[in-house]
Every structure is written in structure tokens, then in C-alpha cells.
């Protein structure tokens, strides 16, 4: 199982970025994928998750209150990719962002419940 997050960078407040999580080594469409972030000196925070699906088309989605209405998660099962579209970014969105899977179809709330992690991608929101 491998996950690789990409798409981070420097963006001005109010701007947008799209992160991607590329997966390999498992039956992608069945498994939930979550996005987490960790700012310096803070605990890792779960911000969004999209569930897996046997049919490949019926997914549940979760957002943390801190990003609800600004971030959008989606997945392309054919390409084995999960996206996190981040709009109206704020300086306190600055963090290293990680994707992970709990190696099951349902989203989990705690980072400790995720078994496989990608390397992080740094998002810096600053003018």
C-alpha cells in the first residue's frame, strides 16, 4: 500500500490550491481516504475523509468544522486519486498535509485509526 500526497505550495490568503493523493498497491475504490494536517507545535488534525464503496460510486464524505464550506474532497477511482480542493485559504491553514487510509471502507475520526500514510506536502498561506 502506497500513498503519495502532492500539490502543496505557497499561496496568498484567499487563494486556492488543489492537493492530490495518488494510491497504489490496493483495491482503491473500496477503501476510505482521509486528509490530515499538522501545523508546527500542534497535533495532527483530521480535516476530511471520503469513504470507500463496493460499487465504486456511493461514497460518504466528512469535513471538519474548520474547513467545511471551503474545502472539497473528491475521488477518481479509475485514476486511483483523491483530491482536496482548498478555497478561501487562511494563514491558519498553513500546515503539512497528509493523506491516509484506515485500510477499510469507513472513515475514521482519529489519526491512530489510519494504517497507511503518504508523505506530507507543505501548504503555506502567507502574503
Amino acid at each position: 500500500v502506497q500513498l503519495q500526497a502532492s500539490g502543496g505550495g505557497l499561496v496568498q490568503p484567499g487563494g486556492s490550491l488543489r492537493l492530490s493523493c495518488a494510491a497504489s498497491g490496493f483495491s482503491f475504490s473500496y477503501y476510505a481516504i482521509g486528509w490530515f494536517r499538522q501545523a508546527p507545535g500542534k497535533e495532527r488534525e483530521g480535516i476530511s475523509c471520503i469513504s470507500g464503496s463496493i460499487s465504486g460510486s456511493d461514497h460518504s464524505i466528512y469535513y471538519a468544522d474548520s474547513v467545511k464550506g471551503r474545502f472539497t474532497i473528491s475521488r477518481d477511482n479509475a485514476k486511483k486519486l483523491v483530491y482536496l480542493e482548498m478555497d478561501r485559504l487562511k494563514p491558519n491553514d498553513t500546515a503539512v498535509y497528509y493523506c491516509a487510509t484506515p485500510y477499510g471502507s469507513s472513515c475514521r475520526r482519529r489519526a491512530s485509526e489510519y494504517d497507511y500514510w503518504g508523505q506530507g506536502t507543505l501548504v503555506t498561506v502567507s502574503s
Side-chain angles (χ1 to χ4, degrees), residues 13 98 107 122:
Y98 301 87
C107 288
L122 177 63

Side-chain angles (χ1 to χ4, degrees), residues 42-77:
K42 295 189 176 180
E43 292 187 357
R44 193 165 293 190
E45 173 192 15
I47 57 172
S48 187
C49 182
I50 185 166
S51 72
S53 167
I54 293 177
S55 68
S57 60
D58 184 18
H59 300 283
S60 298
I61 287 175
Y62 158 81
Y63 296 104
D65 288 342
S66 57
V67 306
K68 197 174 294 182
R70 299 188 298 122
F71 291 11
T72 304
I73 192 170
S74 62
R75 65 191 297 160
D76 184 331
N77 289 328

Side-chain angles (χ1 to χ4, degrees), residues 1-105:
V1 175
Q2 288 191 327
L3 298 169
Q4 184 170 355
S6 61
L10 173 64
V11 62
Q12 292 187 343
S16 299
L17 275 178
R18 188 177 78 163
L19 305 184
S20 298
C21 177
S24 62
F26 62 107
S27 299
F28 178 74
S29 64
Y30 177 75
Y31 294 97
I33 302 291
W35 283 99
F36 292 78
R37 66 185 181 185
Q38 189 164 19
K42 295 189 176 180
E43 292 187 357
R44 193 165 293 190
E45 173 192 15
I47 57 172
S48 187
C49 182
I50 185 166
S51 72
S53 167
I54 293 177
S55 68
S57 60
D58 184 18
H59 300 283
S60 298
I61 287 175
Y62 158 81
Y63 296 104
D65 288 342
S66 57
V67 306
K68 197 174 294 182
R70 299 188 298 122
F71 291 11
T72 304
I73 192 170
S74 62
R75 65 191 297 160
D76 184 331
N77 289 328
K79 295 182 179 179
K80 294 189 175 183
L81 288 168
V82 171
Y83 303 104
L84 186 69
E85 181 73 36
M86 305 186 297
D87 298 318
R88 290 183 282 141
L89 283 161
K90 305 174 182 179
N92 62 5
D93 292 317
T94 295
V96 178
Y97 284 70
Y98 301 87
C99 59
T101 180
Y103 211 50
S105 61

